């Protein structure tokens, strides 16, 4: 009886060890798959980095674009949407920044909701931090927020000459570029493809 019990105990221990081993192998497999997915994600971003930051291209806003923004924030009136678009195109032209990229960032940051305030204290359509308002000399009016966001993108692109790095700076700060530190931040890793996705969606509506 004792030997039988001991044998059962040993069998149970082996089974437990096997189960733990399977769990570890499964975790490793999932981690490897995640790494492969992330690598594919960054390859995709690299391919899409043909986005031109310059605002010299001839983009226009129309009923389709107005309709799309309405789907993102149904509370906005058509008059307010036009007001937002007019400011985006005006300041994009002034600072030579692609207005479609500006709208993609705005869509990702706030879904075109100017009353949005993040947990970190970022405000408005372009989610500017308090120090950004001071840095760019703007207020948190719709016009001021849009202008500040465009100045932010322009400054970051002039510094990096790279669209992905510009978005890293906008989301996490340029300090995260050092040693690719931003790749350890899940929010930023997810933020970049979201902006690209919004960019191509908005681009289709602005043709």
């Amino acid at each position: 009886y004792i030997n039988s019990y001991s044998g059962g105990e040993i069998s149970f221990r082996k089974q437990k060890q096997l189960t733990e081993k399977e769990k570890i192998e499964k975790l490793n497999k999932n981690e490897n798959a995640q790494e492969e997915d992330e690598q594919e994600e960054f390859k995709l971003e690299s391919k899409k980095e043909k986005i031109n930051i310059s605002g010299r291209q001839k983009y226009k806003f129309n009923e389709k674009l107005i309709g799309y923004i309405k789907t993102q924030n149904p509370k906005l009136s058509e008059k307010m949407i036009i007001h937002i678009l007019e400011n985006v195109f005006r300041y994009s032209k002034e600072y030579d920044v692609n207005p479609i990229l500006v709208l993609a960032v705005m869509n990702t940051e706030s879904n075109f909701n100017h009353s949005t305030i993040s947990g970190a204290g970022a405000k408005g359509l372009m989610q500017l931090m308090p120090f950004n308002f001071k840095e760019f000399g703007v207020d948190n009016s719709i016009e001021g927020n849009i202008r500040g966001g465009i100045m932010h993108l322009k400054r970051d692109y002039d510094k990096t000459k790279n669209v992905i790095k510009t978005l890293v700076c906008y989301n996490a700060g340029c300090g995260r570029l050092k040693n690719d530190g931003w790749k350890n931040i899940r929010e930023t890793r997810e933020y970049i493809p979201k902006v690209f996705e919004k960019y191509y969606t908005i681009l289709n509506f602005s043709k």
Side-chain angles (χ1 to χ4, degrees):
Y1 177 82
I2 294 173
N3 289 337
S4 174
Y5 180 82
S6 299
E9 186 178 15
I10 291 167
S11 175
F12 174 75
R13 284 177 182 170
K14 283 183 178 178
Q15 184 63 39
K16 188 176 180 183
Q17 286 170 356
L18 182 62
T19 304
E20 291 299 323
K21 187 178 178 183
E22 287 173 349
K23 282 181 182 178
I24 291 167
E25 286 175 353
K26 190 175 180 181
L27 283 171
N28 288 335
K29 191 175 180 181
N30 289 340
E31 284 176 5
N32 290 334
Q34 186 178 353
E35 285 176 7
E36 287 173 8
D37 288 344
E38 286 174 4
Q39 286 171 5
E40 287 301 315
E41 181 181 287
F42 290 121
K43 284 179 188 175
L44 180 65
E45 290 164 14
S46 298
K47 288 177 184 176
K48 286 187 173 182
E49 203 185 330
K50 292 177 182 177
I51 292 174
N52 195 326
I53 194 81
S54 172
R56 292 173 189 169
Q57 301 98 320
K58 291 184 179 179
Y59 297 113
K60 58 185 178 180
F61 63 87
N62 51 35
E63 290 298 322
K64 289 191 297 181
L65 182 54
I66 292 169
Y68 169 74
I69 293 174
K70 187 75 173 174
T71 67
Q72 301 300 291
N73 183 1
K75 293 181 180 180
L76 284 176
S77 66
E78 185 172 325
K79 184 178 179 181
M80 183 57 69
I81 294 172
I82 291 171
H83 178 59
I84 289 169
L85 289 170
E86 284 175 343
N87 279 284
V88 167
F89 279 79
R90 174 189 170 188
Y91 289 113
S92 291
K93 185 177 180 181
E94 181 176 335
Y95 293 101
D96 190 25
V97 174
N98 186 334
I100 308 303
L101 181 60
V102 175
L103 288 170
V105 170
M106 186 183 295
N107 197 170
T108 307
E109 291 284 352
S110 68
N111 268 337
F112 304 103
N113 184 354
H114 187 58
S115 64
T116 300
I117 301 176
S118 76
K123 294 180 180 180
L125 292 166
M126 298 295 285
Q127 287 293 278
L128 299 181
M129 294 294 287
F131 57 83
N132 294 138
F133 293 109
K134 193 175 291 186
E135 179 182 5
F136 299 117
V138 297
D139 58 21
N140 195 36
S141 62
I142 285 176
E143 182 178 345
N145 194 282
I146 292 171
R147 185 182 184 189
I150 291 171
M151 291 172 76
H152 196 324
L153 289 169
K154 175 67 172 175
R155 180 204 64 187
D156 296 339
Y157 185 77
D158 285 347
K159 184 182 291 185
T160 65
K161 304 298 182 186
N162 179 287
V163 176
I164 289 176
K165 289 180 180 179
T166 296
L167 295 175
V168 171
C169 287
Y170 199 95
N171 178 258
C174 289
R176 298 292 187 177
L177 292 171
K178 188 175 180 181
N179 300 320
D180 285 334
W182 65 274
K183 291 184 179 179
N184 297 319
I185 306 172
R186 182 176 179 180
E187 179 190 333
T188 307
R189 292 200 314 269
E190 293 176 349
Y191 176 81
I192 294 167
K194 281 179 185 176
V195 174
F196 278 118
E197 182 185 349
K198 300 294 185 185
Y199 177 90
Y200 288 107
T201 298
I202 292 168
L203 183 63
N204 287 332
F205 283 111
S206 63
K207 291 178 179 177

